[in-house]
Amino acid sequence: QVELVESGGGLVQAGGSLRLSCAAPGRTFSSATMGWFRQAPGKEREFVAAISWNGGSTYYADSVKGRFTISRDNAKNTVYLQMNSLKPEDTAVYYCARHWGGYYYSTERYDYWGQGTQVTVSS
């Protein structure tokens, strides 16, 4: 069983910043593309960002491009999501997940998920 543990969420004012972290086991983490998703109340879980196993490629949803940055430190078995210029519409539970193959925008392409961390952006 792979356990992913997110942290770093909280309450922030619009325009502020947060950095989320996702801790994952070494062997299953360091060789995999990892992604961040989010789910707002009453909405489907949506793709936010993904990063290849060595950090050489990154992918972002249009809604966060230019504001969020995904990164990873394989030595620490951790993936990060730096979120700047936050907006109220960024409010959601944020999840990290391990990608198993194929189209990285789809939740179906991720096999292990964390329990999520709440991000709330006040206006």
Side-chain angles (χ1 to χ4, degrees), residues 18-42:
L18 284 173
R19 188 176 82 155
L20 306 183
S21 298
C22 172
R27 184 173 302 178
T28 54
F29 163 86
S30 61
S31 62
T33 292
M34 298 292 293
W36 285 97
F37 287 75
R38 66 186 182 187
Q39 187 166 19

Side-chain angles (χ1 to χ4, degrees), residues 14-103:
S17 299
L18 284 173
R19 188 176 82 155
L20 306 183
S21 298
C22 172
R27 184 173 302 178
T28 54
F29 163 86
S30 61
S31 62
T33 292
M34 298 292 293
W36 285 97
F37 287 75
R38 66 186 182 187
Q39 187 166 19
K43 295 187 177 181
E44 293 188 353
R45 194 168 297 189
E46 65 174 4
F47 172 78
V48 175
I51 186 167
S52 62
W53 71 274
N54 63 353
S57 296
T58 56
Y59 313 91
Y60 296 94
D62 288 342
S63 59
V64 307
K65 203 170 293 183
R67 300 188 298 122
F68 291 11
T69 302
I70 189 171
S71 62
R72 66 191 297 163
D73 185 340
N74 286 348
K76 296 182 178 180
N77 299 332
T78 303
V79 182
Y80 304 98
L81 185 67
Q82 177 67 44
M83 306 186 296
N84 298 328
S85 302
L86 283 161
K87 304 175 181 180
E89 51 264 43
D90 295 318
T91 295
V93 177
Y94 283 71
Y95 300 88
C96 70
R98 191 188 73 164
H99 181 254
W100 62 265
Y103 192 48

Side-chain angles (χ1 to χ4, degrees), residues 101-113:
Y103 192 48
Y104 51 82
Y105 286 104
S106 171
T107 58
E108 297 179 355
R109 298 296 179 171
Y110 292 79
D111 53 2
Y112 293 103
W113 294 80

